[in-house]
Amino acid sequence: MSAANPLLSQAFLIPFQDIQPAHVAPGIRDVMTQTQEAIDGIIAFNGTRTFDNTIIALDDALEPLVRAVTISYHLMSVNSNDDLREAFNSVLPEFSAFFAQLPLNDDLWQAVSSYADSDDAGALTGVYKRHLDKTLDGFRRAGAALPETEKARAREISIELSQLQNKFSENLLDATNAFELVITDTADLAGLPERVMTQARENAQQKDIEGYRFTLQIPSYQPFMTHADSRELRKHMYQAYTNRACDGDLDNRPLIEQILTLRAEFASLLGYQDFADYRLEINMAKDGSSALGFVRDLTTKTRPYWLAEVDHLANFAREQLGIDTLEPWDMFYATEKLRIHEYDFDAEMLRPYFPVDQVLRGLFDITQKLFGISVTQREVAEVWHPEVLFYDIHDAQGKHLGSFYADWFPRESKRGGAWMNSLITGLLMSDVADDAGEPHLGLMVGNFTPPQAGKPALLSHNEVETTFHEFGHLLHHCLSKVEVRARAGTNVARDWVELPSQIMENWTWERDALDLFARHYETDEPIPEDLFDKLKRSRTFMQAHMQMRQLSFATVDLELHINYDPSQHDDAIRFGKNVMEPFYPRPAFSDNHFLASFGHVFSGGYAAGYYSYKWSEVLDADAFSRFKQAGIFNAEVGKDYLEHILSKGDSAPPEELYRAFMGRDPDPDALLARNLNAGLIAGD
């Protein structure tokens, strides 16, 4: 590999600051050549095949290519520009074809199969046997056992899906950035907190625009929809947000049709009834019908609480706000007014207690108490933007377990949302000397409220939850101790991967945890008891509504991948509207093009898997009960959780890992009890 190309650097600190668009295509082509040579060597090997010289050798051959592509994808997500897109898209068909062709290579399949039939393979146990089985399954699920004609078609579909999903993501980013609402009449700002107006004014100044600039990025959009008194402007913003990427050159609707059609065809080629069955075979749910059954059951249990909330909100809006009929653009606004009315609690009151630096220190303090780790910031130059921070994680003996980047604030070159990603999966084995092994490297990304007017970045409680959530993913990656990289960290079933992230959110609702970091940025005073009480009581406020919203996303995702048929239904958008209507106060609420911006499903890896958020939430609500019973900082429970879940990756079936930690299967009603203060509904 060319040492001159920083994209191909194998250094632990990735030289992000040196990687330019011109490095992407030649770098990926270079490493593809090297990878192919290594694979050819595995195929040509004529000695006795072993786990190391066949299965691990294949993993090692692919790692540099996966790393180069991951870094390129990452830069597209956080620093997108026309040159980078052009470079990435020029090589996307090539590496997509490479990955699609790999498991369809008959000679490679023969090499792996011949080892699988050997006595050495038959003697494998534990994670080694699991990895061999997963490797064989990966070949089969890619089409290795198909006849040649079908195999060729599987290859074509894989390549085309990669291109379509990437285009979907690009269109969504561009459509989000294409919109702006500039307000020059201060009367139109009525209801907005000073913080929100200051942010909008600074945003306008950065664009050399007079007035106040609002965008469809969440730190701008959501506060506007929550607080702006102007119903017409809320409607304008809402319609822009829910109809992103549905016209002109950025129209994602045709891509949705193509993606769904290709996914269904791919599943059919492999003998599955639908894409959901194909996708979920390797998840805890096992098939689409089980996942859909889970979602429908939870919907049925939630619906009575939701209907009561909707009626209550509608009555309040009519009697107190003069809104005779609630419209979609009224929901955030009316909900916040109801919260203030019933709890005397405005979520904005908490922001001064959550400066981002203090939140991070508190998060690191909590995880130190639970897992015996320390997190320290280190100044490094190898970052993709000046705002990016870098941290190291060490255990109690000082061993370097991993490091991570943190990028918290929105930019127009950065896609929306929050996420964690792994960059390097190390090898920290539990049965080797303390100083042995290689550390992990990952990243956390958010789009949080930025600092403004000389004040630090003050987070909402929801943003604090998100920070804890993503750090849970990061811990799953960086505290992994699995002897096979491919089975380490977050390389787990989609409906298991959210447990380590979602369980961390629970600490943001506990007084003892908040007292570690929630202090007023000016006075250093902790959250007053009455304000904390309001926060706690508000936890179940409108939770049935929020739960139904998530269930609507999970349902439409599964229905699209199980029951949508382009030959029988008019189009996917209309199909989706029909599916989502029962989850809204009125059918008219579904009159939008939400699917055109549903990046989780059409470009983000959650196809037929959005249900996993609620699936994992059941697990986290139940698992946290053990911490609550023993004490939220109980080190013994933390040690057990680290030993049986955080460190185990995919080294064993998740059901076994859960039972090892809890001593039993999960309680399916734990989520209802926590979110809705619900006992069993009569007749359950």
Side-chain angles (χ1 to χ4, degrees):
M1 282 178 257
S2 172
N5 189 328
L7 179 65
L8 305 186
S9 168
Q10 295 300 296
F12 183 73
L13 289 179
I14 298 168
F16 284 112
Q17 82 288 356
D18 295 330
I19 300 172
Q20 301 299 318
H23 296 127
V24 172
I28 290 177
R29 289 185 181 120
D30 186 6
V31 76
M32 275 196 294
T33 298
Q34 299 293 330
T35 301
Q36 187 60 59
E37 291 175 356
I39 290 170
D40 290 343
I42 295 171
I43 293 170
F45 179 75
N46 60 8
T48 301
R49 291 201 175 273
T50 66
F51 185 78
D52 285 340
N53 68 30
T54 304
I55 306 303
I56 296 300
L58 176 58
D59 293 345
D60 291 345
L62 290 171
E63 195 279 332
L65 177 57
V66 171
R67 174 173 168 141
V69 170
T70 298
I71 292 169
S72 301
Y73 263 127
H74 169 65
L75 290 174
M76 287 279 288
S77 297
V78 295
N79 252 358
S80 181
N81 58 61
D82 290 343
D83 290 341
L84 181 59
R85 282 188 184 183
E86 182 180 356
F88 184 80
N89 289 331
S90 71
V91 76
L92 173 61
E94 298 175 40
F95 71 72
S96 297
F98 186 95
F99 285 120
Q101 169 63 35
L102 187 71
L104 305 180
N105 183 320
D106 288 334
D107 292 334
L108 181 59
W109 174 232
Q110 178 58 41
V112 171
S113 297
S114 65
Y115 169 70
D117 292 335
S118 69
D119 292 340
D120 184 75
L124 293 176
T125 60
V127 67
Y128 302 104
K129 182 180 188 307
R130 183 169 175 82
H131 182 52
L132 174 60
D133 291 343
K134 292 266 186 173
T135 300
L136 293 168
D137 203 41
F139 274 86
R140 180 187 63 79
R141 287 171 53 79
L146 291 174
E148 191 54 44
T149 301
E150 286 86 347
K151 192 180 295 186
R153 180 57 185 154
R155 183 186 308 117
E156 293 171 357
I157 292 173
S158 296
I159 296 168
E160 190 171 355
L161 278 173
S162 295
Q163 295 171 308
L164 290 171
Q165 290 164 180
N166 184 63
K167 181 61 175 172
F168 186 101
S169 180
E170 289 182 356
N171 286 350
L172 179 55
L173 176 62
D174 290 346
T176 300
N177 289 335
F179 175 89
E180 65 179 10
L181 171 64
V182 177
I183 294 177
T184 55
D185 185 349
T186 55
D188 289 334
L189 300 171
L192 294 174
E194 182 64 33
R195 174 194 63 79
V196 177
M197 291 190 288
T198 300
Q199 179 181 324
R201 185 169 60 248
E202 291 179 354
N203 191 296
Q205 291 170 349
Q206 292 168 5
K207 295 286 185 178
D208 294 323
I209 295 172
E210 292 295 325
Y212 301 78
R213 182 175 183 262
F214 297 89
T215 72
L216 299 182
Q217 293 174 339
I218 291 298
S220 178
Y221 172 79
Q222 191 160 312
F224 190 93
M225 297 301 295
T226 302
H227 299 287
D229 289 337
S230 173
R231 199 178 186 198
E232 282 303 309
L233 289 179
R234 292 202 310 270
K235 178 180 179 180
H236 180 59
M237 288 283 280
Y238 171 84
Q239 290 180 332
Y241 186 82
T242 58
N243 290 290
R244 288 174 294 165
C246 66
D247 57 19
D249 293 338
L250 304 179
D251 194 348
N252 273 341
R253 290 174 298 177
L255 303 186
I256 291 172
E257 302 282 348
Q258 296 172 62
I259 289 169
L260 290 172
T261 300
L262 289 172
R263 286 173 177 169
E265 183 185 354
F266 189 86
S268 179
L269 278 175
L270 291 168
Y272 294 89
Q273 180 172 303
D274 50 58
F275 184 78
D277 277 359
Y278 164 75
R279 187 66 186 273
L280 302 186
E281 179 185 50
I282 57 175
N283 281 20
M284 294 179 74
K286 303 305 180 189
D287 55 49
S289 63
S290 296
L292 195 55
F294 164 78
V295 171
R296 286 173 174 168
D297 179 62
L298 190 54
T299 300
T300 298
K301 291 179 176 179
T302 306
R303 186 172 296 277
Y305 299 91
W306 171 68
L307 290 173
E309 286 183 356
V310 168
D311 286 345
H312 186 48
L313 183 65
N315 290 335
F316 170 80
R318 183 173 54 255
E319 295 169 5
Q320 301 292 327
L321 305 178
I323 299 176
D324 290 334
T325 303
L326 280 172
E327 299 291 351
W329 45 88
D330 298 320
M331 295 302 289
F332 278 121
Y333 181 78
T335 297
E336 184 62 17
K337 295 298 184 187
L338 179 60
R339 185 202 309 271
I340 294 171
H341 176 76
E342 294 197 338
Y343 296 95
D344 188 26
F345 175 58
D346 180 350
E348 289 293 309
M349 298 165 64
L350 284 167
R351 281 189 187 272
Y353 297 92
F354 294 133
V356 65
D357 289 346
Q358 284 180 197
V359 170
L360 293 173
R361 284 197 296 271
L363 171 60
F364 302 155
D365 193 7
I366 289 168
T367 51
Q368 190 279 326
K369 292 176 183 295
L370 289 170
F371 311 125
I373 61 171
S374 63
V375 183
T376 54
Q377 186 175 346
R378 182 177 14 146
E379 294 294 327
V380 300
E382 297 85 350
V383 293
W384 57 86
H385 189 275
E387 292 179 344
V388 176
L389 306 176
F390 188 84
Y391 297 88
D392 293 313
I393 301 175
H394 293 85
D395 67 12
Q397 288 71 46
K399 181 177 179 179
H400 184 197
L401 304 179
S403 301
F404 64 97
Y405 302 88
D407 183 356
W408 294 128
F409 307 118
R411 298 183 295 274
E412 290 192 1
S413 61
K414 181 179 175 185
R415 70 176 173 90
W419 65 94
M420 172 270 166
N421 199 7
S422 56
L423 293 168
I424 297 174
T425 299
L427 203 60
L428 296 171
M429 296 183 290
S430 56
D431 58 352
V432 298
D434 286 343
D435 60 348
E438 306 163 22
H440 307 284
L441 181 66
L443 59 89
M444 297 169 62
V445 177
N447 279 275
F448 298 152
T449 306
Q452 57 186 248
K455 297 179 180 179
L458 301 176
L459 305 187
S460 68
H461 184 262
N462 180 260
E463 289 172 331
V464 174
E465 279 191 290
T466 301
T467 306
F468 275 60
H469 178 108
E470 299 305 336
F471 194 64
H473 283 309
L474 199 284
L475 290 175
H476 199 193
H477 174 63
C478 285
L479 302 188
S480 177
K481 291 186 176 181
V482 178
E483 292 87 340
V484 178
R485 294 181 202 270
R487 303 272 68 83
T490 58
N491 296 315
V492 301
R494 181 67 71 179
D495 48 12
W496 176 248
V497 76
E498 295 297 337
L499 168 60
S501 57
Q502 289 178 177
I503 197 172
M504 290 300 301
E505 296 177 24
N506 289 282
W507 276 270
T508 71
W509 294 94
E510 299 292 331
R511 175 92 237 193
D512 289 346
L514 289 172
D515 281 348
L516 295 176
F517 65 91
R519 294 185 173 275
H520 197 287
Y521 78 101
E522 291 177 320
T523 67
D524 199 40
E525 292 295 317
I527 297 175
E529 192 63 31
D530 64 331
L531 184 55
F532 172 74
D533 288 342
K534 293 173 183 178
L535 171 67
K536 284 287 284 187
R537 286 188 289 115
S538 73
R539 186 175 192 182
T540 57
F541 174 71
M542 295 295 287
Q543 275 301 305
H545 171 73
M546 295 303 297
Q547 188 147 294
M548 286 293 281
R549 181 174 181 268
Q550 288 296 99
L551 290 169
S552 75
F553 298 159
T555 302
V556 75
D557 170 33
L558 287 167
E559 290 281 2
L560 284 168
H561 289 102
I562 295 173
N563 294 319
Y564 174 70
D565 183 345
S567 67
Q568 297 181 19
H569 303 101
D570 291 342
D571 62 71
I573 297 289
R574 184 171 300 152
F575 180 91
K577 289 178 181 179
N578 292 336
V579 170
M580 297 182 78
E581 275 185 11
F583 294 86
Y584 291 122
R586 300 196 324 279
F589 275 56
S590 65
D591 188 19
N592 57 56
H593 293 86
F594 157 74
L595 291 182
S597 60
F598 201 2
H600 274 76
V601 166
F602 295 109
S603 62
Y606 276 81
Y610 200 90
Y611 78 93
S612 61
Y613 282 106
K614 281 298 168 189
W615 184 285
S616 296
E617 202 173 341
V618 169
L619 301 179
D620 100 68
D622 188 43
F624 187 67
S625 67
R626 187 175 170 202
F627 285 98
K628 286 284 286 184
Q629 291 166 6
I632 64 168
F633 299 133
N634 187 286
E636 287 302 313
V637 178
K639 180 181 178 182
D640 277 357
Y641 178 70
L642 172 61
E643 178 182 350
H644 295 301
I645 293 180
L646 277 185
S647 67
K648 293 298 187 183
D650 187 41
S651 60
E655 297 88 349
E656 293 181 11
L657 300 180
Y658 191 86
R659 283 192 290 268
F661 174 63
M662 289 296 288
R664 57 169 174 76
D665 289 332
D667 176 1
D669 292 309
L671 178 62
L672 290 173
R674 184 187 70 186
N675 284 9
L676 307 180
N677 277 337
L680 292 179
I681 298 171
D684 283 358

